[in-house]
Amino acid sequence: MSGQGLSAVGVEAVGMTMRFGGFTALEDVTVRVPAGSFHALLGENGAGKSTLVKCMMGFYRPTSGQMLVEDREATIDSPRDAASFGLGMVYQHFTLVPSLTGAENLVISREKVPAVIDWRRERKDLATFMETMPFRLPLDVPVRELAAGEKQKLEIVKQLYLGRRFLVLDEPTSVLTPGEAEEVLGIVRGMTEAARLTVLMISHKFPEITAFADDFTVLRKGRLTGSGKVADHDRKAMAAMMIGDQPIATLDQRKPVAPDAAPVLEVKGVKAPDRSGLKSIEIADLTIRSGEIVGIAGISGNGQKEFFEILAGQRPPETGAIAVKSKAYGASRRESRALNVRYIPEEPLRNACAPRMTVAENMAFRTFDLDSEGRPARWISAGAIRRFAADLVARFKVKTASLASPIQSLSGGNVQRAVLARELTGRVDLLIVANPCFGLDFSAVAEIRARIMKARNEGAAVLLISEDLDELLELSDRILVMSDGALVYETPIATASVQTIGEHMAGHH
Amino acid sequence: MEPVDIGLWGVPLAILGGAIRVSTPFIFVSLGETITERSGRINLGLEGILVFGAMAAYAIAVMTGSPWLGVLGAAGTGAVFGLFHGWICKFPKVNDIAIGIALMLFGSGLAFFFGKPFIQPSAPDLPAISLGWWSDIPQVQAALSVNVLFLIGAALAFALWWAFRHTRAGLIVRVVGDSSDAARAMGLNPDTVRLLATAVGGAFAAVGGAYLSLYYPGSWNEGISSGQGLMAVALVIFARWNPLGCFAAALLFGGAGALGPALQSVGVTQGYYLFYAAPYILTLAIMVATSSPGRSLAGAPGELSITK
Ligand SMILES: Nc1ncnc2c1ncn2[C@@H]1O[C@H](COP(=O)(O)OP(=O)(O)OP(=O)(O)O)[C@@H](O)[C@H]1O
Ligand SMILES: [Mg+2]
């Protein structure tokens, strides 16, 4: 069952076209990935990258196109067919089964599973197999309890365990910390160099592409716009292939914070249990004034998620007081509307959308029950919702097949844009943001950061929780570090040093 | 043998006897529903299937003279109902809960229609094993007269609990129930798995019905079920989708149900009818005590339409 002794296969997709109804997501794209190479697939959000690889894997049936494996025509109508050629994929969203343990996930995804599973033997085989892996993983706890990095490693381990020799990784690092990302990609790179594996990786991050990939292909609006060797192209050349000659948003000049700026968010002595219920989150004292961005740094899992949930009313605090503009704040819809508080949570599809409702409905969540004067509306007008959404879709450049598509059919980056459009429309006095740029292409990242900065300059107080230190350094006026459920360090941006912040994040200071 | 006066000992004894006697249909229906719900579907139609199973088992037993053929026949009809539910639910935009409610009414109605001629004749009973031979107190012997189906149900609970971890079929059901996407990525067809899981669930529920008409109370009439099919669905949630939990919950429920009659029989004349509500109050109390607003229902299959 182990991938040892097998060698990498080369794959070519020829003339792939995919239409969803009248919408062409992919048009006549050809990609060649020779055996043992590490190939990067680039493109803006919604360019059709996931669609292309899903067609290659038999997850979608392409409208037209042909797959070649080792230069021979291959009929791939299902993921199972793909597997029989040794092709496997790690999807953008995790496809491990959360309630099963790692071992159960591995064994059940095998081609041939005996009717009765002899766990003693399987466990022994798994242990032997894991010895060939450069890292350890807990295989006996339910997958839902693993950290994101561990899940991602398990996804890759699973593919190798299944004996795959061509691997598609769809944005494998978007949920990982930089350290984890480097580790995982390094392992995969090592396997391509040993000719055990061929890799096709979708990524938005130029540093990891230059560090790990041999060749690249660029898609734009479903068409092939460039390809070549990574070594022969610089970042600018690849970026130009991705976005054409569109301008990239630039950050507005940072307006100085007025010395007498009014406090907008005040958090005092707030305490709540964390996810596991074993530890607690304690925010002793945090004040954010109008017109400043306060960044919260920290390694994921140190209570940032819970803190966001407290502020968003998803997790009731045991003690303490939260006030917005000096009024007690309980995060009800009425209060957030009256005080102009807006949220951009992480994983917006799960935390800020109703996945199966349409794009238009999702974008109108804040306003659908108000009439044009802002009073409660008696009747809800589908027409008004559509017009409102159409305007936002155009202004925030959300790519969607139609306003009536379910929002879950949008590409990851476009869900993010849709939520951003909804939350940043109208007057914003307090904006609470968590990891707003996960999984976004570089021009979208630039644009979203520019919009957050613009909201700040217009007087909004912004709380920015992020795992991306560069993002915090670029946007914040002050940076706080969260570790073990508490804010342990604060520095104004002028004196912020990556070194000191990193030490506090790691918990030794 | 003359009944011996055993005083207050009669109460725990009656509860034990009740637990064994009353719990069997709950065990079967809740185990069946566990299989179905673990695959990501809810079948609320089990009440209808149970009633139809009771009728079918009774009719077949009357006609063939064999109660076991009745049980088998009932299981067959239950599976057909389950297949029907599973087949309809695979169409897009069909809601499994609504179909379940329709099936509940349909199953009961059909059972009353076909069952009219079988209200009068009497069918042979399912055999019971006497586990009370060691005692010469008749109450003990009565309480420990255990029906074979109860033992089968207990064995099935353990077997299912084991199968969910140790067999391919068990793992596949859990995969499909927890994440359709993961299942599809593995090349499994969630609709097919759910179709089969609903069929098996239906067969189980119908066997629960057969117990009602062929053993306790042991006759076929239109009031045969007092909502066991529906209560069992609630028991599954109560038992957190764990087969052993279902078994324990069914026993608890059966035992609590025997409290009222037992108190009455030892001479409590006032307020004993309040104890008829004991099973429901107990269920509510445990539900409240074991849930929390801070976390979602532990163990709930991710694809269930009520937890999604
Ligand atoms: N099942 C579907 N039905 C309708 N439209 C779809 C479907 N899947 C994808 N699309 C559309 O096809 C386009 C390409 O989507 P795709 O997911 O391939 O983008 P992507 O390049 O992977 O973007 P991202 O970087 O954001 O993940 C998008 O506009 C999306 O809305
Ligand atoms: Mg994608």
Side-chain angles (χ1 to χ4, degrees), chain A residues 20 23 25 43-52 54 60 92 170-171 202 204 399-401 405 409-414 439 441:
Chain A
F20 295 107
F23 177 79
E44 294 178 279
N45 294 124
K49 304 178 298 294
S50 297
T51 307
L52 171 64
K54 282 182 183 165
Y60 289 155
Q92 193 166 7
D170 194 349
E171 295 183 36
I202 298 177
H204 291 298
K399 292 196 192 90
T400 167
S405 327
S409 77
L410 263 56
S411 78
N414 281 301
D441 66 58

Side-chain angles (χ1 to χ4, degrees), chain A residues 95 98-99 104 113 115 117 119, chain B residues 165-168 171 174 178 182:
Chain A
T95 55
S99 69
E104 286 174 332
V113 188
I117 299 162
W119 277 114
Chain B
R165 292 148 198 267
H166 291 267
T167 67
R168 178 175 60 209
L171 280 178
R174 283 170 63 201
D178 213 33

